[in-house]
Amino acid sequence: MSYDLNGKNFDRNLDLKNLRPYGDTLNDGKVQISFTLPVPNDEKGIEAARALAMKMGLPNPLIAEAITLDPDHTMYVVYGTVNHTVDYTDIVVQTVDAPSLSRHEIEDLIDAEIKRDVIVVGASTGTDAHTVGIDAIMNMKGFGGHYGLERYRNIQTYNMGSQVSNENLIRKALDVQADVILISQTVTQKDVHIHNLVHFIELLEAEHLRHRFIVIVGGPRISHELAKELGFDAGFGPRKYAEDVASFFVQELIHKT
Amino acid sequence: MKSKLNLNKDNVDKARNYAKLIASDIQKFINRHTTVSVERTVCRFLGIDGVNELGVPYPNVIVDHLLKNDKLQYGVATFIASYLKYERFPLQDLGTRIDEGLSDISKYDVLDKKEVYSILSKYISDSLSNVRQNASLRQSYYDKFGKKEGPLLYVIVATGNIYEDVVQAKAAAVSGADVIAVIRSTGQSLLDFVPYGPTTEGFGGTYATQENFRIMREALDDIGEELHRYIHLVNYASGLCMPEIAAMGAMERLDMMLNDSLYGILFRDINEQRTFVDQYFSRVINAYAGIIINTGEDNYLTTSDAVTEAHTVLASQFINEQFAKLAHMKEEQMGLGHAFEIDPDVENGFLYELAQAQMAREIFPNAPLKYMPPTKHMTGNIFRGYVQNALFNIVTTTTNQRIHLLGMLTEAVHTPYMSDRHLAIDNAKYIGTTMKNFGDEIQFKKNGIIQTRANKVLDDATELLREISAIGMFEAIERGVFAGIKRTKTGGKGLDGVRAKHAQYCNPIIDHMIKELEGGEIDEL
């Protein structure tokens, strides 16, 4: 597709079997990408960027800008029309299927169905030094206006902080007779979080404790699908708050008993 | 500088006095103790380096040997002096000889201090003169290229591979970075030894090793020559090996060191006693080497609310200032930390940020303040993130912060790509140029939102410091005053490496440095 204003003759109907990006008109397929090539900023580099964009499925890319990072590295800002489509009707995603309740609904549900405090232990485990994720879910203040579990009238929380070993986390969970274990993994590189999470599940299984707790993992790289694959009960990615996590484990606890 | 904020000067004086009481109380504790890391640092300054076939650094081999034989309370120096006096093998063989069971230095009687100084004087003066040369070389670079005015643009590299870090650091310098920090591998702060040699594997960063320091220093000197600018190098004298890494930084001419006990206590669960003692020696080393420290108050706001808890940042800056003074640091070496972390949805949040940054500037006029970009409220929306960083850059420029950590538009997504770093530098340069003298041109409305906010934070910080001075720092931390995190005096990692000093304890390195920093004659030792 070109950028002229006249020749927009694509189909104006939404076709979910052939879904395309939306720029300024349905089905125009417009996308933006940017990347850096380790070459000088000159005509040849621009041509290389264009060739790469074409291989990505943008048959007639526009290199809107070529930015010199240093003499041997250039960043390209690219616009184009992608020639691929996806079949939206064919996409299946595993999500946590428990409905999300409000804090008060969760508290009432605990009163009515569980009739005692729910005990939750959480930590950022392994070498991960970031507490941002676990704090957002567990601490009083919560995150983005969503109060943390500590604020819930009938949830008792133990936030162990960061760089907690899997062994210590399990020990603590046994000590306080936890119902739920929350693990946060924020910064990861070279998939170190995967090894750590697998190790946690293996430890639980080796001690025959896997069914004793509801185990949940969260973090920016975590999806529910990945969590299930690793043997967790649920996984929560970005834009999930304390009430999403609590809704899940409270309903799960009720099912369990 | 004329105050724009109409700050209550009495409160500033009061706060400073409370902080002084708090710090000197802890200093009494510090003076009575030593740690394994302090003693390993003494080994390093005496020239002991290298690792055995299991990768254990020789300073650890020697210090662990003394610890095992319950002799650490005397300090390592006297036993090394005895080894040289009685065994007559070269100093660099000591580690191997202990490993092989050929030397047991713990059996020697403790020598008189004067004798320790005299036996070790050659080793001490060799390594300290190397440190002094590094400081004067840095000065000669400033003389040659000129010292940059205004904010120093600070970016991080974190590939895990020191050689790849070099590529990224050089590119950042070409883009306009003045300061390069090599982020450490996740978890290094909890290692009770310093890894050795060049490293190419790390998680979320690159191990701090002396060889990695040397490699990066050389690369930055090279690119600095090309660009006619001095490029500053930063690493982390923090965690369980605080003073050892400070020593390595002094030896390899680092320019800034993250160095803050409170950060380690709160965010890494390092034992309070251990890290206060470690911090003191590391700050004396930094003072001696002309290294600027960076403190970690900005981190409080990643867990606590940046509006309601802003006063804890200021209170901690006051305390850190006093700890630094006790370690003989100049104000020009105190990179006190703070941050731009108010939730973007808060009405007039920008005004509060401006008030707080200007407040820090006025209260610590000589300190090269370290100002951190938004992190907590950064999302995957990089386009919005770029705007958040622009607002942060405006505050930095307007209030003349010195150490300007650049925000990355991909903060919540990944460790920065080369292009992310370039865009960050471009953003800061644009605002730094177009708004260069903006701060000089504006005044704040009397008793307006900005003045009121600054005085409120100061009031609250003063009150908090009064409370802490009444109960003591250990108790305050136990109550979770900072960042809402509670730690106990005997909790956390590293307490087993702390020993009360014996009356015959001797640390000739720190004695020597302090003597010189106080302007005394070194020969008296």
Side-chain angles (χ1 to χ4, degrees), chain B residues 62-172:
Chain B
I62 296 166
V63 168
D64 290 349
H65 167 74
L66 293 176
L67 192 67
K68 202 175 68 199
N69 290 291
D70 197 21
K71 291 292 171 84
L72 202 71
Q73 61 274 26
Y74 299 100
V76 71
T78 174
F79 300 103
I80 291 179
S82 290
Y83 164 78
L84 291 166
K85 181 178 174 185
Y86 300 113
E87 301 194 19
R88 299 176 174 277
F89 290 103
L91 188 52
Q92 65 262 29
D93 293 355
L94 175 57
T96 348
R97 291 184 61 81
I98 289 176
D99 257 350
E100 288 167 5
L102 299 172
S103 287
D104 176 6
I105 56 172
S106 69
K107 70 185 178 196
Y108 295 114
D109 287 339
V110 177
L111 298 176
D112 174 70
K113 268 191 190 185
K114 280 222 161 68
E115 190 175 5
V116 175
Y117 290 148
S118 104
I119 294 172
L120 299 179
S121 75
K122 180 171 80 75
Y123 301 93
I124 297 170
S125 65
D126 278 0
S127 74
L128 295 197
S129 81
N130 166 41
V131 172
R132 284 195 306 272
Q133 274 168 24
N134 278 334
S136 54
L137 185 53
R138 182 189 302 116
Q139 187 56 49
S140 70
Y141 274 117
Y142 287 147
D143 295 343
K144 186 162 139 193
F145 299 139
K147 212 169 179 175
K148 191 190 174 192
E149 297 287 315
L152 295 174
L153 307 188
Y154 175 129
V155 296
I156 63 170
V157 296
T159 69
N161 178 335
I162 188 63
Y163 301 106
E164 202 62 42
D165 285 343
V166 161
V167 175
Q168 303 241 342
K170 285 184 156 184

Side-chain angles (χ1 to χ4, degrees), chain A residues 184-197:
Chain A
S184 166
Q185 298 278 278
T186 303
V187 165
T188 78
Q189 198 168 29
K190 300 181 178 107
D191 285 342
V192 65
H193 63 300
I194 306 278
H195 302 298
N196 189 41
L197 294 172

Side-chain angles (χ1 to χ4, degrees), chain B residues 171-221:
Chain B
V174 170
S175 295
D178 302 299
V179 184
I180 304 290
V182 182
I183 295 288
R184 294 198 301 187
S185 180
T186 294
Q188 185 171 359
S189 57
L190 301 182
L191 298 179
D192 215 338
F193 67 96
V194 184
Y196 185 77
T199 66
T200 54
E201 282 290 323
F203 298 110
T206 307
Y207 285 105
T209 72
Q210 194 168 342
E211 182 60 13
N212 287 348
F213 286 6
R214 197 196 59 73
I215 290 167
M216 186 57 85
R217 175 75 278 166
E218 191 177 286
L220 296 185
D221 283 349

Side-chain angles (χ1 to χ4, degrees), chain A residues 43-221:
Chain A
E43 285 77 6
K44 196 169 172 183
I46 289 174
E47 208 39 53
R50 194 193 314 279
L52 185 61
M54 286 163 77
K55 285 192 174 178
M56 289 190 226
L58 312 179
N60 189 17
L62 169 73
I63 309 297
E65 187 80 16
I67 303 164
T68 305
L69 303 186
D70 74 5
D72 301 316
H73 295 86
T74 308
M75 176 186 177
Y76 303 90
V77 178
V78 184
Y79 283 83
T81 305
V82 67
N83 60 9
H84 302 294
T85 65
V86 291
D87 183 355
Y88 185 77
T89 61
D90 197 34
I91 288 176
V92 184
V93 185
Q94 265 203 49
T95 49
V96 176
D97 48 14
S100 255
L101 309 172
S102 73
R103 174 162 64 104
H104 295 297
E105 287 169 341
I106 291 164
E107 287 170 343
D108 292 347
L109 194 59
I110 295 173
D111 282 344
E113 301 283 339
I114 303 179
K115 301 184 179 69
R116 59 169 176 85
D117 287 0
V118 173
I119 301 167
V120 180
V121 173
S124 175
T125 58
T127 58
D128 193 348
H130 292 75
T131 59
V132 147
I134 197 74
D135 289 347
I137 300 300
M138 295 194 81
N139 287 4
M140 197 63 87
K141 168 89 182 161
F143 190 80
H146 300 256
Y147 288 129
L149 299 177
E150 199 180 351
R151 176 90 60 164
Y152 287 57
R153 175 163 47 79
N154 42 19
I155 296 180
Q156 274 184 47
T157 60
Y158 299 87
N159 181 352
M160 295 178 72
S162 67
Q163 297 186 334
V164 175
S165 70
N166 287 326
E167 289 82 354
N168 281 345
L169 178 58
I170 293 171
R171 202 171 307 135
K172 180 79 179 183
L174 288 171
D175 279 356
V176 302
Q177 304 190 327
D179 301 296
V180 182
I181 300 177
L182 301 182
I183 292 182
S184 166
Q185 298 278 278
T186 303
V187 165
T188 78
Q189 198 168 29
K190 300 181 178 107
D191 285 342
V192 65
H193 63 300
I194 306 278
H195 302 298
N196 189 41
L197 294 172
V198 168
H199 175 240
F200 175 78
I201 295 294
E202 285 172 355
L203 267 180
L204 278 184
E205 281 170 352
E207 304 288 329
H208 305 289
L209 292 169
R210 177 61 192 89
H211 297 291
R212 168 95 180 257
F213 307 107
I214 293 174
V215 291
I216 298 173
V217 58
R221 303 292 168 76

Side-chain angles (χ1 to χ4, degrees), chain B residues 142-340:
Chain B
Y142 287 147
D143 295 343
K144 186 162 139 193
F145 299 139
K147 212 169 179 175
K148 191 190 174 192
E149 297 287 315
L152 295 174
L153 307 188
Y154 175 129
V155 296
I156 63 170
V157 296
T159 69
N161 178 335
I162 188 63
Y163 301 106
E164 202 62 42
D165 285 343
V166 161
V167 175
Q168 303 241 342
K170 285 184 156 184
V174 170
S175 295
D178 302 299
V179 184
I180 304 290
V182 182
I183 295 288
R184 294 198 301 187
S185 180
T186 294
Q188 185 171 359
S189 57
L190 301 182
L191 298 179
D192 215 338
F193 67 96
V194 184
Y196 185 77
T199 66
T200 54
E201 282 290 323
F203 298 110
T206 307
Y207 285 105
T209 72
Q210 194 168 342
E211 182 60 13
N212 287 348
F213 286 6
R214 197 196 59 73
I215 290 167
M216 186 57 85
R217 175 75 278 166
E218 191 177 286
L220 296 185
D221 283 349
D222 287 350
I223 195 78
E225 288 285 351
E226 272 177 45
L227 300 168
H228 291 278
R229 294 189 350 248
Y230 184 66
I231 311 296
H232 302 76
L233 176 57
V234 186
N235 212 288
Y236 296 68
S238 57
L240 288 172
C241 295
M242 233 183 201
E244 290 182 272
I245 295 177
M248 290 159 37
M251 293 172 195
E252 303 299 339
R253 189 167 33 89
L254 268 70
D255 305 290
M256 293 181 199
M257 281 281 182
L258 281 281
N259 186 250
D260 191 349
S261 279
L262 276 168
Y263 174 77
I265 294 166
L266 300 174
F267 295 94
R268 296 290 179 270
D269 197 13
I270 290 174
N271 176 261
E272 296 169 26
Q273 306 182 44
R274 166 72 178 265
T275 190
F276 281 133
V277 176
D278 284 348
Q279 173 176 273
Y280 174 60
F281 191 16
S282 59
R283 287 197 180 178
V284 171
I285 295 165
N286 287 324
Y288 187 83
I291 290 173
I292 292 171
I293 58 163
N294 289 184
T295 60
E297 284 86 355
D298 42 280
N299 293 283
Y300 303 168
L301 304 181
T302 61
T303 53
S304 293
D305 183 80
V307 176
T308 59
E309 300 302 308
H311 65 290
T312 62
V313 170
L314 178 59
S316 176
Q317 289 174 325
F318 273 117
I319 295 170
N320 255 319
E321 177 189 50
Q322 294 305 319
F323 275 134
K325 287 201 163 162
L326 287 165
H328 306 274
M329 303 202 88
K330 295 181 194 146
E331 288 179 5
E332 288 74 11
Q333 290 177 288
M334 301 176 193
L336 302 171
H338 60 138
F340 184 101

